[in-house]
């Protein structure tokens, strides 16, 4: 350890360059992780905000709420929710939203204070909407009255929340037979219901799995590429100082001590890069607008940081192997290649 630290101190420029390169790679990984977590939250934040853990969908829905159609009557005793994409008009504009209809007499969502025909909307829908204004369904001309705001997005689009009472009134106005998208809780009127947890439901949101798989692949490539780059640099550094290493072995310094010095350098540089990149990621999170889907989950960035450290230690085995092959007599005599 002391040997490794002294070398880093005496060759600050070389190791500073290695630190900067490592920092850029790790920082790119943490920033992509923040973007991936932000998009994951944005894709299903409306579901994450609901106070429910178990949902029962139509067995043919493939886990998607907008494909689930359960026949019920307006006076059903089960707690239900309905999800439907709508095109609404307001202030001369048309916008795509997702309607979430929830039980009024429960704490599942932000609809307890709503009256018939009222909704609360996600602020990302518009900055120019206020209480008392209306959203008009483009297809049926049904008018929803705005009663307030409540954050919630689904499939990267804004959500409007309302009550089941308003939902059935909307269906009646549209001359559609009553249905719901899911039953909430463990009770069910269906024998073949598709039972899903909240996380399963979020992962079934259209585009969620493909999006997260892409980011996972990107992070995996960055980890592997970063490990190769760091290994290559330390291998080159080892080749450059073979004469010095030969002298150390000739005067009796144990190869184990030299090897631990190399591992110490790898751990210090990569750990410092990981810690710095996490700090930079938090600074970026505080600076970027809230409208951008960026979220820092410390457990996730710490996980990928620890993976990078472990992979870098494994990559250090190549320079260590070269170190074991050093013959002090040949190195000092200039005969080694």
């Amino acid at each position: 350890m002391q040997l490794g630290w002294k070398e880093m101190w005496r060759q600050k420029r070389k190791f500073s360059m290695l630190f900067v390169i490592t920092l850029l790679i790790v920082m790119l990984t943490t920033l992509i992780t923040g973007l991936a977590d932000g998009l994951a939250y944005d894709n299903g934040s409306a579901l994450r905000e609901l106070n429910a853990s178990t949902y029962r969908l139509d067995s043919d829905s493939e886990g998607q709420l907008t494909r689930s159609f359960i026949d019920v009557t307006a006076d059903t005793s089960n707690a239900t929710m309905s999800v439907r994409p709508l095109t609404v008009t307001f202030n001369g504009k048309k916008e795509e939203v997702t309607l979430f209809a929830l039980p009024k007499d429960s704490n599942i969502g932000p609809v307890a204070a709503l009256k018939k025909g009222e909704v609360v909307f996600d602020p990302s829908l518009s900055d120019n909407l206020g209480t008392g204004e209306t959203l008009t369904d483009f297809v049926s001309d049904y008018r929803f009255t705005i009663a307030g705001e409540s954050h919630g997005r689904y499939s990267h689009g804004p959500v409007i929340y309302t009550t089941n009472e308003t939902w059935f009134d909307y269906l009646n106005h549209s001359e559609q037979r009553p249905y719901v998208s899911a039953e909430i809780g463990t009770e069910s009127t269906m024998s073949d219901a598709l039972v899903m947890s909240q996380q399963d439901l979020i992962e079934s949101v259209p585009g969620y799995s493909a999006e997260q798989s892409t980011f996972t692949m990107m992070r995996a490539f960055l980890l592997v590429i970063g490990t190769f780059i760091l290994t290559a640099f330390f291998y080159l550094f080892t080749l450059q100082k073979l004469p010095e290493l030969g002298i150390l072995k000739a005067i009796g310094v144990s190869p184990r001590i030299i090897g631990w010095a190399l591992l110490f350098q790898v751990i210090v540089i990569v750990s410092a890069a990981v810690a710095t990149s996490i700090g930079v990621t938090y600074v970026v999170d505080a600076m970027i607008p809230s409208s951008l889907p960026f979220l820092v989950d410390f457990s996730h960035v710490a996980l990928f940081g620890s993976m990078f450290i472990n992979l870098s230690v494994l990559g250090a085995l190549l320079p260590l192997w070269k170190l074991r092959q050093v013959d002090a007599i040949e190195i000092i005599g200039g005969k080694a290649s």
Side-chain angles (χ1 to χ4, degrees), residues 289-330:
S290 58
S291 58
L292 293 179
F294 191 87
L295 177 67
V296 180
D297 186 327
F298 180 78
S299 61
H300 284 178
V301 294
L303 171 64
F304 283 97
S306 62
M307 289 175 62
F308 197 89
I309 294 173
N310 292 331
L311 288 174
S312 298
V313 171
L314 289 176
L317 294 179
L318 180 60
L320 287 177
W321 173 82
K322 183 62 179 178
L323 182 64
R324 291 179 60 86
Q325 308 304 312
V326 172
D327 188 298
I329 297 178
E330 290 186 358

Side-chain angles (χ1 to χ4, degrees), residues 70-132:
I70 304 171
D71 289 322
V72 294
T73 58
D75 60 350
T76 180
S77 58
N78 288 7
T80 63
M81 66 178 292
S82 301
V83 178
R84 180 169 181 165
L86 298 177
T87 299
V88 296
T89 61
F90 58 93
N91 299 333
K93 298 190 303 181
K94 287 191 294 185
E95 294 288 346
E96 303 293 327
V97 301
T98 302
L99 176 69
F100 270 60
L102 303 168
K104 182 177 181 179
D105 55 347
S106 69
N107 62 347
I108 294 175
V111 300
L114 297 183
K115 299 177 182 178
K116 183 177 178 180
E118 292 184 336
V119 296
V120 291
F121 71 100
D122 181 78
S124 64
L125 176 60
S126 176
D127 295 329
N128 301 318
L129 284 173
T131 303

Side-chain angles (χ1 to χ4, degrees), residues 210-227:
E211 186 177 81
Q212 292 303 306
S213 297
T214 301
F215 280 111
T216 299
M217 183 178 66
M218 292 172 62
R219 287 177 289 196
F221 273 113
L222 283 172
L223 287 172
V224 173
I225 292 171
T227 301

Side-chain angles (χ1 to χ4, degrees), residues 61-314:
S61 64
E62 298 181 355
Q64 296 187 23
L65 286 166
T66 53
R67 293 185 181 179
S68 181
F69 303 94
I70 304 171
D71 289 322
V72 294
T73 58
D75 60 350
T76 180
S77 58
N78 288 7
T80 63
M81 66 178 292
S82 301
V83 178
R84 180 169 181 165
L86 298 177
T87 299
V88 296
T89 61
F90 58 93
N91 299 333
K93 298 190 303 181
K94 287 191 294 185
E95 294 288 346
E96 303 293 327
V97 301
T98 302
L99 176 69
F100 270 60
L102 303 168
K104 182 177 181 179
D105 55 347
S106 69
N107 62 347
I108 294 175
V111 300
L114 297 183
K115 299 177 182 178
K116 183 177 178 180
E118 292 184 336
V119 296
V120 291
F121 71 100
D122 181 78
S124 64
L125 176 60
S126 176
D127 295 329
N128 301 318
L129 284 173
T131 303
E133 297 187 58
T134 60
L135 302 174
T136 304
D137 177 36
F138 182 77
V139 175
S140 66
D141 285 333
Y142 188 88
R143 294 178 177 271
F144 300 97
T145 303
I146 296 175
E149 297 182 1
S150 182
H151 291 274
R153 292 174 62 80
Y154 183 82
S155 193
H156 297 311
V159 165
I160 59 174
Y161 296 95
T162 191
T163 62
N164 283 338
E165 180 186 19
T166 301
W167 167 250
F168 288 117
D169 185 56
Y170 164 77
L171 292 179
N172 182 59
H173 178 85
S174 306
E175 297 183 351
Q176 301 177 54
R177 69 180 185 183
Y179 76 91
V180 295
S181 300
E183 295 182 341
I184 304 172
T186 56
E187 299 295 331
S188 177
T189 59
M190 301 179 291
S191 58
D192 59 344
L194 177 61
V195 182
M196 303 186 70
S197 66
Q198 185 183 73
Q199 185 59 34
D200 291 336
L201 208 57
I202 292 172
E203 292 176 1
S204 297
V205 174
Y208 182 95
S209 297
E211 186 177 81
Q212 292 303 306
S213 297
T214 301
F215 280 111
T216 299
M217 183 178 66
M218 292 172 62
R219 287 177 289 196
F221 273 113
L222 283 172
L223 287 172
V224 173
I225 292 171
T227 301
F228 272 112
I229 292 175
L230 194 61
T231 300
F233 270 101
F234 272 103
Y235 184 73
L236 291 175
F237 289 169
T238 302
L239 292 180
Q240 291 175 355
K241 58 186 180 184
L242 283 181
E244 292 86 351
L245 296 177
I247 294 174
L248 288 175
K249 294 185 72 173
I251 63 177
V253 178
S254 169
R256 178 174 295 182
I257 295 177
I258 301 175
W260 276 114
L262 177 62
L263 282 178
F264 171 77
Q265 292 171 349
V266 172
I267 293 173
V268 168
I269 290 175
V270 179
S271 298
V274 169
T276 305
S277 66
I278 292 176
V280 171
T281 303
Y282 273 102
V283 172
V284 171
D285 183 39
M287 293 177 60
I288 63 174
S290 58
S291 58
L292 293 179
F294 191 87
L295 177 67
V296 180
D297 186 327
F298 180 78
S299 61
H300 284 178
V301 294
L303 171 64
F304 283 97
S306 62
M307 289 175 62
F308 197 89
I309 294 173
N310 292 331
L311 288 174
S312 298
V313 171
L314 289 176

